[in-house]
mmCIF file of all heavy atoms in Angstrom:
data_model
loop_
_atom_site.group_PDB
_atom_site.id
_atom_site.type_symbol
_atom_site.label_atom_id
_atom_site.label_comp_id
_atom_site.label_asym_id
_atom_site.label_seq_id
_atom_site.Cartn_x
_atom_site.Cartn_y
_atom_site.Cartn_z
ATOM 1 N N ARG A 1253 37.376 4.697 -149.911
ATOM 2 C CA ARG A 1253 38.181 5.292 -150.705
ATOM 3 C C ARG A 1253 39.535 4.594 -150.914
ATOM 4 O O ARG A 1253 40.000 4.166 -149.728
ATOM 5 C CB ARG A 1253 38.391 6.827 -150.223
ATOM 6 C CG ARG A 1253 38.971 7.758 -151.186
ATOM 7 C CD ARG A 1253 39.213 9.122 -150.754
ATOM 8 N NE ARG A 1253 39.957 9.073 -149.543
ATOM 9 C CZ ARG A 1253 39.622 9.782 -148.338
ATOM 10 N NH1 ARG A 1253 38.596 10.477 -148.228
ATOM 11 N NH2 ARG A 1253 40.398 9.654 -147.367
ATOM 12 N N VAL A 1254 40.057 4.374 -151.930
ATOM 13 C CA VAL A 1254 41.292 3.864 -152.191
ATOM 14 C C VAL A 1254 42.427 4.643 -151.523
ATOM 15 O O VAL A 1254 42.458 5.799 -152.007
ATOM 16 C CB VAL A 1254 41.691 3.424 -153.660
ATOM 17 C CG1 VAL A 1254 43.102 2.994 -153.877
ATOM 18 C CG2 VAL A 1254 40.636 2.485 -154.208
ATOM 19 N N ASP A 1255 43.361 4.071 -150.756
ATOM 20 C CA ASP A 1255 44.285 4.828 -150.111
ATOM 21 C C ASP A 1255 45.532 4.855 -151.278
ATOM 22 O O ASP A 1255 45.898 3.906 -151.751
ATOM 23 C CB ASP A 1255 44.913 4.190 -148.953
ATOM 24 C CG ASP A 1255 45.954 4.900 -148.310
ATOM 25 O OD1 ASP A 1255 46.585 5.860 -148.788
ATOM 26 O OD2 ASP A 1255 46.272 4.531 -147.117
ATOM 27 N N PRO A 1256 45.917 6.116 -151.633
ATOM 28 C CA PRO A 1256 46.919 6.149 -152.708
ATOM 29 C C PRO A 1256 48.281 5.715 -152.221
ATOM 30 O O PRO A 1256 49.173 5.589 -153.126
ATOM 31 C CB PRO A 1256 46.994 7.728 -153.038
ATOM 32 C CG PRO A 1256 46.329 8.312 -151.960
ATOM 33 C CD PRO A 1256 45.387 7.337 -151.238
ATOM 34 N N ASP A 1257 48.389 5.557 -150.985
ATOM 35 C CA ASP A 1257 49.893 5.131 -150.448
ATOM 36 C C ASP A 1257 50.055 3.744 -150.995
ATOM 37 O O ASP A 1257 49.392 2.839 -150.652
ATOM 38 C CB ASP A 1257 49.828 5.235 -148.898
ATOM 39 C CG ASP A 1257 51.158 5.055 -148.315
ATOM 40 O OD1 ASP A 1257 51.945 4.329 -148.951
ATOM 41 O OD2 ASP A 1257 51.334 5.458 -147.205
ATOM 42 N N PRO A 1258 51.120 3.513 -151.702
ATOM 43 C CA PRO A 1258 51.457 2.238 -152.263
ATOM 44 C C PRO A 1258 51.764 1.055 -150.998
ATOM 45 O O PRO A 1258 51.551 -0.106 -151.291
ATOM 46 C CB PRO A 1258 52.610 2.432 -153.146
ATOM 47 C CG PRO A 1258 53.243 3.742 -152.762
ATOM 48 C CD PRO A 1258 52.082 4.490 -152.067
ATOM 49 N N ARG A 1259 52.035 1.602 -149.997
ATOM 50 C CA ARG A 1259 52.280 0.775 -148.745
ATOM 51 C C ARG A 1259 50.991 -0.005 -148.409
ATOM 52 O O ARG A 1259 50.981 -0.942 -147.602
ATOM 53 C CB ARG A 1259 52.897 1.377 -147.584
ATOM 54 C CG ARG A 1259 54.217 1.907 -147.818
ATOM 55 C CD ARG A 1259 54.653 2.783 -146.779
ATOM 56 N NE ARG A 1259 53.936 3.833 -146.429
ATOM 57 C CZ ARG A 1259 53.865 4.669 -145.213
ATOM 58 N NH1 ARG A 1259 54.674 4.373 -144.395
ATOM 59 N NH2 ARG A 1259 52.987 5.586 -145.241
ATOM 60 N N SER A 1260 49.803 0.469 -148.849
ATOM 61 C CA SER A 1260 48.503 -0.237 -148.424
ATOM 62 C C SER A 1260 48.042 -0.973 -149.712
ATOM 63 O O SER A 1260 46.915 -1.438 -149.667
ATOM 64 C CB SER A 1260 47.547 0.928 -148.062
ATOM 65 O OG SER A 1260 47.158 1.566 -149.273
ATOM 66 N N HIS A 1261 48.760 -1.356 -150.652
ATOM 67 C CA HIS A 1261 48.250 -2.196 -151.916
ATOM 68 C C HIS A 1261 49.184 -3.478 -151.905
ATOM 69 O O HIS A 1261 50.380 -3.491 -151.872
ATOM 70 C CB HIS A 1261 48.492 -1.342 -153.118
ATOM 71 C CG HIS A 1261 47.719 -0.064 -153.215
ATOM 72 N ND1 HIS A 1261 46.821 0.137 -154.219
ATOM 73 C CD2 HIS A 1261 47.704 0.997 -152.375
ATOM 74 C CE1 HIS A 1261 46.345 1.380 -154.063
ATOM 75 N NE2 HIS A 1261 46.766 1.751 -152.918
ATOM 76 N N ASN A 1262 48.413 -4.619 -152.204
ATOM 77 C CA ASN A 1262 48.905 -5.801 -152.373
ATOM 78 C C ASN A 1262 48.058 -6.562 -153.353
ATOM 79 O O ASN A 1262 46.805 -6.295 -153.321
ATOM 80 C CB ASN A 1262 48.933 -6.691 -151.053
ATOM 81 C CG ASN A 1262 49.970 -6.079 -150.112
ATOM 82 O OD1 ASN A 1262 51.085 -6.559 -150.011
ATOM 83 N ND2 ASN A 1262 49.615 -5.154 -149.261
ATOM 84 N N GLU A 1263 48.593 -7.333 -154.169
ATOM 85 C CA GLU A 1263 47.779 -8.138 -155.122
ATOM 86 C C GLU A 1263 48.355 -9.498 -155.098
ATOM 87 O O GLU A 1263 49.492 -9.813 -155.060
ATOM 88 C CB GLU A 1263 48.027 -7.473 -156.578
ATOM 89 C CG GLU A 1263 47.396 -6.193 -156.758
ATOM 90 C CD GLU A 1263 47.435 -5.673 -158.229
ATOM 91 O OE1 GLU A 1263 47.735 -6.571 -159.115
ATOM 92 O OE2 GLU A 1263 47.412 -4.448 -158.438
ATOM 93 N N PHE A 1264 47.306 -10.487 -155.158
ATOM 94 C CA PHE A 1264 47.656 -11.899 -155.066
ATOM 95 C C PHE A 1264 46.798 -12.562 -156.163
ATOM 96 O O PHE A 1264 45.691 -12.148 -156.269
ATOM 97 C CB PHE A 1264 47.198 -12.535 -153.811
ATOM 98 C CG PHE A 1264 48.266 -12.028 -152.608
ATOM 99 C CD1 PHE A 1264 47.875 -10.924 -152.057
ATOM 100 C CD2 PHE A 1264 49.269 -12.904 -152.216
ATOM 101 C CE1 PHE A 1264 48.887 -10.624 -150.850
ATOM 102 C CE2 PHE A 1264 50.031 -12.563 -151.206
ATOM 103 C CZ PHE A 1264 49.907 -11.276 -150.600
ATOM 104 N N LYS A 1265 47.296 -13.584 -156.875
ATOM 105 C CA LYS A 1265 46.510 -14.409 -157.770
ATOM 106 C C LYS A 1265 45.816 -15.440 -156.952
ATOM 107 O O LYS A 1265 46.269 -16.001 -155.976
ATOM 108 C CB LYS A 1265 47.473 -15.055 -158.706
ATOM 109 C CG LYS A 1265 48.038 -14.150 -159.756
ATOM 110 C CD LYS A 1265 48.901 -14.780 -160.774
ATOM 111 C CE LYS A 1265 49.511 -13.638 -161.648
ATOM 112 N NZ LYS A 1265 50.471 -14.255 -162.479
ATOM 113 N N GLY A 1266 44.587 -15.702 -157.339
ATOM 114 C CA GLY A 1266 43.688 -16.610 -156.574
ATOM 115 C C GLY A 1266 42.610 -17.227 -157.466
ATOM 116 O O GLY A 1266 42.712 -17.103 -158.643
ATOM 117 N N GLU A 1267 41.839 -18.054 -156.827
ATOM 118 C CA GLU A 1267 40.816 -18.585 -157.432
ATOM 119 C C GLU A 1267 39.451 -18.905 -156.647
ATOM 120 O O GLU A 1267 39.619 -18.851 -155.384
ATOM 121 C CB GLU A 1267 41.207 -20.003 -158.070
ATOM 122 C CG GLU A 1267 41.593 -21.083 -157.016
ATOM 123 C CD GLU A 1267 41.993 -22.403 -157.642
ATOM 124 O OE1 GLU A 1267 42.101 -22.562 -158.825
ATOM 125 O OE2 GLU A 1267 42.063 -23.389 -156.775
ATOM 126 N N ILE A 1268 38.315 -19.053 -157.337
ATOM 127 C CA ILE A 1268 37.186 -19.349 -156.695
ATOM 128 C C ILE A 1268 36.669 -20.774 -157.175
ATOM 129 O O ILE A 1268 36.497 -20.927 -158.382
ATOM 130 C CB ILE A 1268 36.119 -18.307 -157.046
ATOM 131 C CG1 ILE A 1268 36.345 -16.930 -156.647
ATOM 132 C CG2 ILE A 1268 34.797 -18.608 -156.281
ATOM 133 C CD1 ILE A 1268 35.525 -15.769 -156.981
ATOM 134 N N LYS A 1269 36.594 -21.638 -156.192
ATOM 135 C CA LYS A 1269 36.245 -23.003 -156.464
ATOM 136 C C LYS A 1269 35.349 -23.606 -155.396
ATOM 137 O O LYS A 1269 35.685 -23.443 -154.295
ATOM 138 C CB LYS A 1269 37.475 -23.807 -156.721
ATOM 139 C CG LYS A 1269 37.176 -25.299 -157.195
ATOM 140 C CD LYS A 1269 38.530 -25.949 -157.353
ATOM 141 C CE LYS A 1269 38.238 -27.412 -157.730
ATOM 142 N NZ LYS A 1269 39.557 -28.196 -157.945
ATOM 143 N N ASP A 1270 34.194 -24.083 -155.701
ATOM 144 C CA ASP A 1270 33.278 -24.736 -154.820
ATOM 145 C C ASP A 1270 32.891 -23.871 -153.611
ATOM 146 O O ASP A 1270 32.978 -24.160 -152.495
ATOM 147 C CB ASP A 1270 33.798 -26.002 -154.242
ATOM 148 C CG ASP A 1270 34.168 -27.117 -155.373
ATOM 149 O OD1 ASP A 1270 33.408 -27.107 -156.354
ATOM 150 O OD2 ASP A 1270 35.069 -27.885 -155.255
ATOM 151 N N GLY A 1271 32.680 -22.413 -154.063
ATOM 152 C CA GLY A 1271 32.218 -21.548 -153.030
ATOM 153 C C GLY A 1271 33.251 -21.166 -152.162
ATOM 154 O O GLY A 1271 33.130 -20.492 -151.019
ATOM 155 N N GLN A 1272 34.563 -21.425 -152.414
ATOM 156 C CA GLN A 1272 35.812 -21.050 -151.629
ATOM 157 C C GLN A 1272 36.728 -20.088 -152.414
ATOM 158 O O GLN A 1272 37.065 -20.336 -153.512
ATOM 159 C CB GLN A 1272 36.518 -22.191 -151.090
ATOM 160 C CG GLN A 1272 37.449 -21.933 -149.985
ATOM 161 C CD GLN A 1272 37.862 -23.161 -149.249
ATOM 162 O OE1 GLN A 1272 37.064 -23.600 -148.381
ATOM 163 N NE2 GLN A 1272 39.000 -23.771 -149.549
ATOM 164 N N ILE A 1273 37.173 -19.067 -151.759
ATOM 165 C CA ILE A 1273 38.251 -18.152 -152.389
ATOM 166 C C ILE A 1273 39.563 -18.513 -151.854
ATOM 167 O O ILE A 1273 39.725 -18.527 -150.597
ATOM 168 C CB ILE A 1273 37.936 -16.705 -152.182
ATOM 169 C CG1 ILE A 1273 36.555 -16.372 -152.920
ATOM 170 C CG2 ILE A 1273 39.032 -15.781 -152.719
ATOM 171 C CD1 ILE A 1273 36.013 -14.948 -152.460
ATOM 172 N N THR A 1274 40.599 -18.731 -152.596
ATOM 173 C CA THR A 1274 41.908 -18.984 -152.011
ATOM 174 C C THR A 1274 42.827 -18.275 -152.889
ATOM 175 O O THR A 1274 42.733 -18.044 -154.147
ATOM 176 C CB THR A 1274 42.400 -20.508 -152.050
ATOM 177 O OG1 THR A 1274 42.239 -21.072 -153.409
ATOM 178 C CG2 THR A 1274 41.436 -21.335 -151.085
ATOM 179 N N ILE A 1275 44.090 -17.916 -152.276
ATOM 180 C CA ILE A 1275 45.118 -17.367 -153.133
ATOM 181 C C ILE A 1275 46.137 -18.466 -153.455
ATOM 182 O O ILE A 1275 46.326 -19.389 -152.678
ATOM 183 C CB ILE A 1275 45.750 -16.210 -152.351
ATOM 184 C CG1 ILE A 1275 46.422 -16.465 -151.142
ATOM 185 C CG2 ILE A 1275 44.906 -14.969 -152.231
ATOM 186 C CD1 ILE A 1275 47.305 -15.484 -150.373
ATOM 187 N N SER A 1276 46.657 -18.408 -154.762
ATOM 188 C CA SER A 1276 47.427 -19.346 -155.213
ATOM 189 C C SER A 1276 48.900 -18.994 -155.155
ATOM 190 O O SER A 1276 49.778 -19.944 -155.459
ATOM 191 C CB SER A 1276 47.041 -19.773 -156.637
ATOM 192 O OG SER A 1276 47.124 -18.623 -157.420
ATOM 193 N N GLU A 1277 49.239 -17.839 -154.921
ATOM 194 C CA GLU A 1277 50.706 -17.453 -154.646
ATOM 195 C C GLU A 1277 50.946 -16.893 -153.212
ATOM 196 O O GLU A 1277 50.265 -16.221 -152.713
ATOM 197 C CB GLU A 1277 51.069 -16.256 -155.634
ATOM 198 C CG GLU A 1277 50.236 -15.133 -155.673
ATOM 199 C CD GLU A 1277 50.567 -14.200 -156.725
ATOM 200 O OE1 GLU A 1277 51.535 -14.357 -157.536
ATOM 201 O OE2 GLU A 1277 49.897 -13.105 -156.828
ATOM 202 N N HIS A 1278 51.877 -17.605 -152.499
ATOM 203 C CA HIS A 1278 52.034 -17.391 -151.167
ATOM 204 C C HIS A 1278 53.293 -16.524 -150.866
ATOM 205 O O HIS A 1278 54.298 -16.770 -150.377
ATOM 206 C CB HIS A 1278 52.271 -18.722 -150.462
ATOM 207 C CG HIS A 1278 51.109 -19.611 -150.655
ATOM 208 N ND1 HIS A 1278 49.711 -19.346 -150.196
ATOM 209 C CD2 HIS A 1278 50.934 -20.742 -151.555
ATOM 210 C CE1 HIS A 1278 48.983 -20.290 -150.787
ATOM 211 N NE2 HIS A 1278 49.508 -21.127 -151.456
ATOM 212 N N LYS A 1279 53.242 -15.192 -151.257
ATOM 213 C CA LYS A 1279 54.211 -14.259 -151.137
ATOM 214 C C LYS A 1279 54.051 -13.343 -149.888
ATOM 215 O O LYS A 1279 52.903 -13.606 -149.148
ATOM 216 C CB LYS A 1279 54.288 -13.474 -152.429
ATOM 217 C CG LYS A 1279 53.062 -12.661 -152.827
ATOM 218 C CD LYS A 1279 53.135 -11.900 -154.098
ATOM 219 C CE LYS A 1279 51.934 -11.131 -154.296
ATOM 220 N NZ LYS A 1279 52.004 -10.317 -155.675
ATOM 221 N N PRO A 1280 54.920 -12.380 -149.658
ATOM 222 C CA PRO A 1280 54.687 -11.532 -148.519
ATOM 223 C C PRO A 1280 53.519 -10.577 -148.622
ATOM 224 O O PRO A 1280 53.207 -10.250 -149.818
ATOM 225 C CB PRO A 1280 55.879 -10.826 -148.453
ATOM 226 C CG PRO A 1280 57.007 -11.654 -149.175
ATOM 227 C CD PRO A 1280 56.174 -12.392 -150.272
ATOM 228 N N LEU A 1281 52.867 -10.315 -147.517
ATOM 229 C CA LEU A 1281 51.773 -9.223 -147.555
ATOM 230 C C LEU A 1281 52.192 -8.215 -146.381
ATOM 231 O O LEU A 1281 52.640 -8.492 -145.417
ATOM 232 C CB LEU A 1281 50.460 -9.904 -147.013
ATOM 233 C CG LEU A 1281 49.364 -8.987 -146.690
ATOM 234 C CD1 LEU A 1281 48.704 -8.340 -147.869
ATOM 235 C CD2 LEU A 1281 48.344 -9.562 -145.720
ATOM 236 N N ARG A 1282 52.165 -6.999 -146.861
ATOM 237 C CA ARG A 1282 52.504 -5.958 -145.984
ATOM 238 C C ARG A 1282 51.455 -4.776 -146.058
ATOM 239 O O ARG A 1282 51.270 -4.331 -147.159
ATOM 240 C CB ARG A 1282 53.928 -5.430 -146.417
ATOM 241 C CG ARG A 1282 54.478 -4.396 -145.351
ATOM 242 C CD ARG A 1282 55.854 -4.185 -145.680
ATOM 243 N NE ARG A 1282 56.465 -3.077 -144.939
ATOM 244 C CZ ARG A 1282 57.004 -3.219 -143.752
ATOM 245 N NH1 ARG A 1282 56.909 -4.287 -143.039
ATOM 246 N NH2 ARG A 1282 57.422 -2.134 -143.147
ATOM 247 N N LEU A 1283 50.827 -4.565 -145.026
ATOM 248 C CA LEU A 1283 49.778 -3.518 -144.991
ATOM 249 C C LEU A 1283 50.028 -2.523 -143.832
ATOM 250 O O LEU A 1283 50.401 -2.943 -142.711
ATOM 251 C CB LEU A 1283 48.410 -4.210 -144.809
ATOM 252 C CG LEU A 1283 47.783 -5.016 -145.902
ATOM 253 C CD1 LEU A 1283 46.476 -5.630 -145.427
ATOM 254 C CD2 LEU A 1283 47.656 -4.177 -147.123
ATOM 255 N N LEU A 1284 49.730 -1.263 -144.129
ATOM 256 C CA LEU A 1284 49.555 -0.317 -142.994
ATOM 257 C C LEU A 1284 48.485 -0.780 -142.078
ATOM 258 O O LEU A 1284 47.400 -1.205 -142.596
ATOM 259 C CB LEU A 1284 49.324 1.016 -143.444
ATOM 260 C CG LEU A 1284 50.458 1.576 -144.369
ATOM 261 C CD1 LEU A 1284 50.083 2.965 -144.888
ATOM 262 C CD2 LEU A 1284 51.687 1.701 -143.568
#
């Protein structure tokens, strides 16, 4: 179930290339 608390939500842009997933923006991540 998605936790409705916004402190548990982060979004990053990324890509899938040659069977590998990477994020392209290196910003802060904060999770409960």
Side-chain angles (χ1 to χ4, degrees):
R1253 190 177 61 225
V1254 173
D1255 184 347
D1257 188 332
R1259 296 175 298 167
S1260 67
H1261 295 239
N1262 290 265
E1263 291 184 19
F1264 290 84
K1265 292 181 181 175
E1267 65 180 7
I1268 301 173
K1269 184 177 178 183
D1270 299 326
Q1272 187 164 282
I1273 300 169
T1274 57
I1275 57 173
S1276 56
E1277 51 184 359
H1278 305 292
K1279 62 184 184 179
L1281 169 75
R1282 189 169 169 84
L1283 290 174
L1284 296 179

